[in-house]
Amino acid sequence: MWQERGMKKVIIRGDPGIGRGAIIEVDGEEVVCFSLDRQSSYHGGDRPQLWCTVGTEDERETFEKREFVPHFLDVVAVDAEAIDIVEKRGS
């Protein structure tokens, strides 16, 4: 699933209680959540989704300077139970 390095969009089905700057492990790869958008709260979905732009710490500057095209990021969808939380929120 997690074949190439580089920033990705991770869609987490469910809410694991993380925030922006969280460090999570997805499919054996440790990544930082640079941004986090919560979906389905407005319509009262029974299970929200978190759409996270993630990458390595080395990619933070690329994210902050917006030197990427969000529409071209690879997308990985996982259940909240399938991720390991290393740090819930950034400092």
Side-chain angles (χ1 to χ4, degrees), residues 19-58:
R20 188 175 49 200
I23 300 172
I24 60 174
E25 188 174 310
V26 181
D27 202 29
E29 183 78 24
E30 194 170 289
V31 292
V32 179
C33 292
F34 297 134
S35 71
L36 191 134
D37 297 310
R38 186 180 177 93
Q39 304 294 326
S40 80
S41 294
Y42 179 78
H43 297 290
D46 61 339
R47 191 159 193 213
Q49 291 182 348
L50 300 181
W51 291 30
C52 307
T53 302
V54 303
T56 63
E57 192 60 46
D58 294 340

Side-chain angles (χ1 to χ4, degrees), residues 1-10 23-32 34 53-60 62 68 72-76:
M1 177 191 322
W2 201 273
Q3 299 168 358
E4 296 180 19
R5 295 191 59 87
M7 283 191 290
K8 292 185 179 30
K9 181 70 74 174
V10 174
I23 300 172
I24 60 174
E25 188 174 310
V26 181
D27 202 29
E29 183 78 24
E30 194 170 289
V31 292
V32 179
F34 297 134
T53 302
V54 303
T56 63
E57 192 60 46
D58 294 340
E59 296 166 317
R60 184 179 295 278
T62 300
F68 68 99
F72 295 147
L73 293 178
D74 290 338
V75 178
V76 176

